[in-house]
Amino acid sequence: MVNLLKSKLELFAFFELTPDLVCLAGKDGYLRKVNQAVIDKLQYTEAELYKNPIAYFIHPDDKDLTHKNRTELLGGKVLHNFENRYITKQGEIIWLTWTSIYFADSELVLAIAKDITEKKKQEKEAEEKFNKFKSLTTYFKSNIEKDRKYLTYELHEELAQLVFAVKTDVELIANNKADLPAASKERIEHALIVSKLLIETLQRISFSISPKMMEEFGLKDTLEWLCREFSILNGVPCACAFDYDEENLTNEIKIDFFRICQEALSNVIRHAMAKNVMISIKDVDEKVQLTIMDNGKGFDVPQQIETPGLLSMRERVNSINGQLTIQSEPGKGTRICVEITK
């Protein structure tokens, strides 16, 4: 055993040449030997490093996780790329990533670490930029939805009401002027039909711009209405299947799901030449999955140019930290899948 320990210490001497942090630690949680890189990085003297348990130098928030992994290490599991934080003598926080192995015969742990503090700083900066971008995206989306609601109000409450007033006046004339010439009666009948169609069109456009019913009845009922309207207007059957808990979805996600479905159905009519469409939302483990499938002509995904519709869907999915998958082949339809974590 003495010879084995001697050979390991000789091996440790070799590691003095590496810029990585190299340690030999006992099963009791104390350092037995460190190279110069450890001393330089933690800024403690060699005596100070040996005097205190290893946990003394670890960031308080990482102690429990480190203890858990060390227990697994002593149980025979080799530790790869384990990251934790240490506090230097000057109070600076550094990030290290460890690879460690435990030698049960000599009750020693050989551990090698790399300093990844700079990498962690870059990751944090990238995350902050992403969160800032996401916040701006949410802000702009929120304002767009407010503008849509205002436009919907103008169309439905103002313009549609004016058309309804004209329709009422025309009906009044038709009911009280029995002696009108045949040509005039024909024009009045035509005006009544057109005004009715105009009111229905305004209502449909209002819903398309901003579905007020989503606030009152939820995403499920709104998508069912959307599918029925799509089927009636385009003659293409559109079915729905839902198996999810709507309470897990934020208002932003529900709006984005609705807009993605709108865009997908629009693409079906413009490009797919499908005979059937299916929209489904279901809970899958810790995720919510939205799927839109059609049996249209499909396309070669790698060769597909990013159309404004696909780009809009991709941007919406990214803004809610989702994952967009598009599966399609010529002649085999298209499957659009959006997954988000609950």
Side-chain angles (χ1 to χ4, degrees):
M1 178 176 175
V2 174
N3 290 334
L4 181 61
L5 178 58
K6 181 179 178 182
S7 65
K8 287 172 183 173
L9 290 174
E10 289 173 350
L11 178 63
F12 188 85
F14 169 77
F15 285 115
E16 287 287 353
L17 302 174
T18 179
D20 294 337
L21 288 73
V22 184
C23 308
L24 273 178
K27 187 179 180 180
D28 58 0
Y30 282 79
L31 292 167
R32 294 287 189 271
K33 184 71 176 174
V34 298
N35 70 347
Q36 188 61 40
V38 176
I39 298 170
D40 294 341
K41 191 63 64 176
L42 294 181
Q43 301 167 6
Y44 286 94
T45 65
E46 193 169 1
E48 289 171 328
L49 289 171
Y50 297 155
K51 176 183 177 182
N52 297 288
I54 297 171
Y56 175 83
F57 308 103
I58 299 173
H59 191 285
D61 293 344
D62 292 348
K63 287 186 179 182
D64 288 344
L65 181 61
T66 303
H67 176 74
K68 176 178 177 294
N69 278 268
R70 187 174 183 278
T71 301
E72 293 177 354
L73 175 67
L74 296 179
K77 179 180 177 181
V78 177
L79 199 64
H80 291 291
N81 301 322
F82 170 67
E83 298 178 0
N84 63 358
R85 288 166 291 179
Y86 281 72
I87 301 177
T88 69
K89 190 173 184 178
Q90 303 303 320
E92 298 175 1
I93 297 174
I94 60 172
W95 277 92
L96 300 175
T97 178
W98 295 90
T99 297
S100 308
I101 185 170
Y102 176 60
F103 297 98
D105 53 353
S106 56
E107 296 188 342
L108 286 175
V109 174
L110 174 62
I112 303 173
K114 291 182 180 295
D115 183 356
I116 57 170
T117 306
E118 189 60 33
K119 174 189 171 186
K120 286 293 183 179
K121 287 181 180 178
Q122 293 173 358
E123 288 177 353
K124 185 177 181 181
E125 289 173 0
E127 183 180 359
E128 288 174 351
K129 288 180 180 178
F130 172 78
N131 289 333
K132 183 178 180 181
F133 172 76
K134 182 184 175 184
S135 178
L136 286 172
T137 301
T138 301
Y139 171 78
F140 287 130
K141 284 199 302 183
S142 176
N143 279 313
I144 289 172
E145 290 299 328
K146 287 180 181 178
D147 291 340
R148 287 175 181 265
K149 287 183 178 180
Y150 176 76
L151 180 56
T152 296
Y153 175 85
E154 292 295 312
L155 286 173
H156 188 268
E157 302 298 329
E158 301 290 339
L159 191 55
Q161 293 298 326
L162 290 174
V163 175
F164 183 77
V166 171
K167 179 176 177 289
T168 301
D169 289 342
V170 173
E171 286 177 338
L172 185 64
I173 294 172
N175 293 332
N176 290 279
K177 294 291 182 178
D179 57 344
L180 286 174
S184 296
K185 288 183 178 181
E186 188 176 313
R187 298 306 300 172
I188 287 176
E189 287 296 325
H190 181 264
L192 288 173
I193 294 172
V194 170
S195 60
K196 181 182 178 182
L197 290 173
L198 182 55
I199 291 171
E200 292 174 352
T201 300
L202 288 172
Q203 290 173 338
R204 188 166 60 250
I205 292 173
S206 296
F207 176 85
S208 176
I209 294 173
S210 182
K212 185 178 180 181
M213 69 178 294
M214 184 140 65
E215 297 177 4
E216 300 177 5
F217 302 106
L219 178 62
K220 177 178 176 291
D221 289 345
T222 305
L223 287 179
E224 286 177 344
W225 192 96
L226 178 66
C227 286
R228 285 195 298 271
E229 284 291 294
F230 177 85
S231 300
I232 292 169
L233 294 175
N234 301 290
V236 177
C238 181
C240 294
F242 301 114
D243 184 15
Y244 72 104
D245 185 353
E246 192 155 323
E247 291 185 358
N248 291 328
L249 303 184
T250 64
N251 188 57
E252 180 187 3
I253 291 173
K254 287 189 281 189
I255 290 173
D256 282 330
F257 272 17
F258 174 77
R259 297 297 179 201
I260 289 167
C261 289
Q262 271 187 315
E263 191 62 56
L265 291 179
S266 179
N267 287 342
V268 168
I269 295 303
R270 287 199 299 261
H271 309 295
M273 300 173 62
K275 294 182 180 179
N276 286 284
V277 185
M278 165 66 80
I279 294 177
S280 69
I281 303 178
K282 60 182 178 180
D283 288 327
V284 181
D285 297 326
E286 296 300 316
K287 296 184 177 182
V288 181
Q289 186 181 83
L290 164 67
T291 306
I292 307 110
M293 294 188 296
D294 69 69
N295 63 350
K297 64 180 183 180
F299 57 90
D300 188 354
V301 175
Q303 301 298 321
Q304 174 67 27
I305 298 174
E306 192 86 325
T307 64
L310 289 176
L311 181 60
S312 174
M313 283 192 281
R314 198 175 299 282
E315 289 175 346
R316 284 190 177 275
V317 173
N318 289 338
S319 72
I320 53 177
N321 292 338
Q323 182 177 2
L324 175 67
T325 304
I326 300 176
Q327 297 173 324
S328 186
E329 291 182 35
K332 295 187 178 181
T334 300
R335 180 179 184 271
I336 297 172
C337 181
V338 177
E339 283 189 340
I340 62 165
T341 303
K342 296 178 185 177

